Amino acid sequence: MTPRPARIAAAALLPPLGVYLEEGAVRPFQLACGLTLLGFLPGAGYALWRLFQRRKLMSA
């Protein structure tokens, strides 16, 4: 199962929002916020990785 295009766009453009939409305000969201504050690319990379990793685990 692939993620919805809107969530992929949210994770790429606003990384914490993408993680929040997928998992809520839990530890991964806080980590995405911290990584985004350190730099946009680490935050976006983590958000996209988290989005696709979660979908892979749910379909297995």
Side-chain angles (χ1 to χ4, degrees):
M1 179 185 292
T2 60
R4 294 182 185 163
R7 291 194 180 179
I8 294 172
L13 298 175
L14 297 168
L17 177 63
V19 175
Y20 177 79
L21 290 175
E22 189 67 24
E23 301 190 23
V26 292
R27 186 73 175 162
F29 170 72
Q30 296 169 352
L31 185 57
C33 289
L35 286 171
T36 303
L37 288 175
L38 290 174
F40 179 77
L41 288 179
Y46 174 74
L48 289 170
W49 175 80
R50 190 74 187 180
L51 186 73
F52 283 104
Q53 188 70 20
R54 183 172 169 93
R55 292 293 179 164
K56 185 174 20 171
L57 291 174
M58 289 176 66
S59 66

